[in-house]
């Protein structure tokens, strides 16, 4: 069947059947494997959510403890990966360091192409466990601090906070980060997941799949927006300035970062949950950026919500991360620490019923042009 219409950004075009997650953008609904994001944020843990996304069902107590304990065995980085991180420029973006490290990590595992179930599980565990360790290690090393060896007695969120600061993680901060990771773990066929599935369809190994997806996530229209939200809030400076600043942005057609979504035409359900944590944390610390954010949301909803442009996950996540002591340029990497499991679930689904992606184009260039020798060119 020849389809000749070009759909920019493939908006509304299904590219795969998937049983991993579901979004209803009119009803502010997100489910992973049929479970609502609100329920998971309240009752689940990131480790349990990972198991469920990968295997399609909630684990029993033993399955979960085996999965989590097996995972902790894969936390440590090869010393050569630590050396590689030391060699990267300290002013390079943490997402660039992460993408490079993930691609390099794969080279250490000759089993990376092996499609049996045990090897697939190993690759998933290694990636889920090592990505946060790379993020924390790169941050320490670029600051000239010693690398911290990961601990096996902490969950993924707690170990990340421990490695980042070198201090015992606060249990409440650990739980909030754990919830943030649940909220960011998966989100249907977005740009990075699609990029990962395209690479998976070539039967490239999962480290390649994840490093490609990381590249896609890094852009400011995707996972990079959370960093830019804080810059925007600081630029606005106070709640009183919000109305005039937004009017200017709307007039000059400047995008309001953390607003708008291809699928959600109402508030992103993850933003609602994150808003609550952002408010609690900022009230406690006296961070005034929350008040600016709340005012921006109020004014923006008057101006933009009738066009379906509402806060997305990135609008409040940066405030929460900043309050947890996460450096601003690591926000997108923290998003990636969670999304790695979504990409892996899509990798498993893609290779289960694979056909290589090979779309087509409508050629609009020259045809049959003459080759002009270089001496005759002007
Ligand atoms: N502020 C102001 N106007 C907006 C915004 C915004 N944040 N988002 C969309 N619009 C307008 C846009 O200018 C366009 O107007 P017009 O029809 O007059 O030209 C219309 O809405 C459609 O915008 P679009 O960019 O074609 O919509 P899209 O579905 O292609 O884009 C989006 C979705 C997320 C890229 C876009 O909303 C955006 O750039 N938002 C800001 C960046 C951001 O917050 N990204 C995080 C997305 S959620 C997490 C993630 O995916 O990682």
């Amino acid at each position: 069947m020849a389809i000749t219409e070009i759909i920019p950004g493939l908006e509304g075009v299904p590219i795969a059947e998937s049983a991993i997650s579901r979004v209803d953008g009119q009803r502010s609904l997100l489910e992973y494997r049929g479970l609502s994001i609100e329920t998971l944020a309240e009752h689940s843990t990131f480790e349990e959510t990972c198991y469920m996304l990968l295997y399609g069902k909630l684990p029993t107590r033993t399955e979960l403890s085996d999965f989590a304990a097996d995972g902790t065995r894969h936390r440590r980085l090869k010393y050569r990966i630590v050396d590689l991180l030391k060699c990267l420029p300290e002013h390079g973006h943490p997402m660039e360091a992460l993408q490079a490290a993930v691609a390099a990590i794969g080279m250490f595992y000759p089993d990376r192409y092996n499609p049996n179930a045990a090897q697939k599980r190993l690759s998933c565990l290694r990636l889920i466990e090592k990505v946060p360790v790379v993020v924390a290690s790169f941050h320490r090393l670029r600051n000239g601090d010693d690398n911290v060896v990961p601990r096996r007695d902490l969950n993924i969120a707690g170990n990340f906070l421990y490695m980042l600061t070198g201090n015992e993680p606060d249990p409440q901060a650990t739980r909030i980060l754990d919830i943030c990771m649940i909220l960011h773990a998966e989100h249907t066929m977005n740009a990075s997941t699609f990029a990962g599935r395209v690479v998976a369809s070539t039967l490239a190994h999962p480290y390649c799949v994840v490093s490609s997806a990381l590249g896609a996530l890094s852009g400011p229209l995707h996972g990079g927006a959370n960093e830019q939200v804080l810059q925007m809030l600081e630029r606005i400076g106070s709640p009183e300035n919000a109305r005039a600043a937004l009017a200017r942005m709307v007039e000059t057609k400047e995008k309001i970062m953390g607003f708008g979504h291809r699928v959600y035409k109402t508030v992103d359900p993850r933003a609602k949950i994150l808003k609550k944590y952002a408010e609690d944390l900022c009230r406690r610390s006296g961070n005034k950026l929350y008040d600016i954010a709340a005012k921006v949301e109020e004014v923006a909803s008057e101006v933009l919500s009738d066009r379906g442009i509402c806060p997305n996950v990135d609008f409040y996540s940066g405030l929460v991360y900043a309050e947890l002591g996460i450096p601003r340029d690591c926000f997108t990497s923290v998003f990636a620490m969670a999304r790695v499991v979504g990409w892996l679930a899509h990798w498993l689904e893609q290779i289960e019923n694979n056909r290589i992606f090979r779309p087509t184009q409508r050629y609009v260039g020259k045809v049959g042009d003459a080759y002009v020798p270089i001496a005759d060119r002007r």
Side-chain angles (χ1 to χ4, degrees):
M1 179 187 40
I3 300 169
T4 50
E5 189 191 355
I6 292 172
I7 312 222
L10 294 181
E11 179 166 0
V13 178
I15 62 96
E17 278 192 341
S18 181
I20 303 169
S21 66
R22 178 169 90 93
V23 168
D24 182 333
Q26 304 296 337
R27 290 170 47 217
S28 188
L29 176 140
L30 169 61
E31 286 176 351
Y32 299 164
R33 305 273 187 201
L35 289 164
S36 82
I37 197 69
E38 291 82 5
T39 305
L40 291 168
E42 193 176 343
H43 300 291
S44 189
T45 60
F46 180 63
E47 280 78 356
E48 182 181 73
T49 298
C50 286
Y51 185 101
M52 190 196 51
L53 286 169
L54 295 175
Y55 298 113
K57 67 168 195 93
L58 283 168
T60 62
R61 206 182 287 276
T62 320
E63 284 167 338
L64 178 58
S65 63
D66 287 353
F67 180 76
D70 282 356
T72 64
R73 286 193 193 97
H74 300 285
R75 268 189 193 159
R76 285 178 84 120
L77 299 178
K78 304 267 183 200
Y79 77 87
R80 289 191 196 174
I81 294 295
V82 177
D83 286 352
L84 179 138
L85 293 175
K86 284 182 191 160
C87 293
L88 297 175
E90 63 271 18
H91 51 265
H93 196 278
M95 280 296 278
E96 295 170 319
L98 181 58
Q99 189 179 16
V102 166
I105 286 170
M107 297 169 75
F108 287 92
Y109 301 106
D111 58 18
R112 61 193 181 278
Y113 286 105
N114 191 329
N116 79 32
Q119 291 300 344
K120 284 192 218 158
R121 176 182 163 106
L122 256 180
S123 298
C124 291
L125 288 175
R126 285 192 196 117
L127 280 158
I128 291 166
E129 294 287 346
K130 288 187 200 296
V131 164
V133 172
V134 169
V135 178
S137 298
F138 179 68
H139 176 64
R140 292 191 71 84
L141 294 167
R142 69 176 170 166
N143 283 345
D145 293 329
D146 285 337
N147 196 26
V148 168
V149 176
R151 274 171 49 184
R152 289 189 55 197
D153 60 321
L154 297 169
N155 66 8
I156 293 174
N159 182 60
F160 173 72
L161 292 175
Y162 162 70
M163 288 188 68
L164 201 63
T165 60
N167 300 322
E168 194 62 33
D170 170 60
Q172 201 189 358
T174 301
R175 178 58 187 151
I176 294 174
L177 181 58
D178 195 57
I179 292 170
C180 291
M181 292 181 74
I182 294 172
L183 298 179
H184 285 84
E186 159 60 10
H187 206 249
T188 73
M189 205 53 68
N190 52 77
S192 56
T193 301
F194 180 45
R197 279 190 86 128
V198 170
V199 176
S201 81
T202 70
L203 301 186
H205 61 70
Y207 303 87
C208 257
V209 169
V210 170
S211 62
S212 323
L214 283 163
L217 185 71
S218 68
L221 295 187
H222 195 358
N226 51 13
E227 251 183 88
Q228 304 214 351
V229 169
L230 289 209
Q231 284 160 18
M232 176 186 78
L233 297 177
E234 282 172 353
R235 231 180 27 241
I236 294 175
S238 76
E240 295 71 44
N241 294 342
R243 192 167 291 279
L246 250 73
R248 246 188 337 268
M249 289 168 83
V250 170
E251 199 189 314
T252 57
K253 288 194 175 292
E254 184 186 339
K255 277 194 170 165
I256 300 155
M257 285 294 141
F259 270 74
H261 200 278
R262 179 64 64 77
V263 185
Y264 294 117
K265 297 305 164 200
T266 178
V267 184
D268 180 331
R270 301 165 297 175
K272 290 186 209 161
I273 301 172
L274 288 165
K275 180 178 182 179
K276 184 167 70 72
Y277 289 105
E279 180 172 14
D280 287 355
L281 290 165
C282 291
R283 292 265 178 268
R284 247 183 288 155
S285 71
N287 184 346
K288 293 278 173 269
L289 288 184
Y290 175 80
D291 294 326
I292 305 175
K295 190 68 189 175
V296 167
E297 183 184 349
E298 182 194 314
V299 177
S301 58
E302 290 166 22
V303 194
L304 297 172
S305 66
D306 59 338
R307 293 167 59 198
I309 302 168
C310 301
N312 61 49
V313 68
D314 285 330
F315 191 63
Y316 287 106
S317 66
L319 279 176
V320 176
Y321 295 155
E323 287 298 308
L324 296 179
I326 296 167
R328 189 174 300 182
D329 65 353
C330 291
F331 291 176
T332 311
S333 311
V334 173
F335 184 157
M337 282 161 34
R339 185 56 58 83
V340 65
V341 66
W343 296 328
L344 290 166
H346 281 272
W347 164 61
L348 293 172
E349 194 173 70
Q350 178 66 37
I351 58 177
E352 203 53 45
N353 189 12
N354 190 48
R355 186 150 195 235
I356 189 169
F357 279 98
R358 201 330 181 170
T360 185
Q361 61 173 13
R362 195 189 294 149
Y363 181 66
V364 293
K366 294 182 192 172
V367 176
D369 212 11
Y371 179 82
V372 181
I374 196 159
D376 301 339
R377 286 177 216 158
R378 271 183 292 161

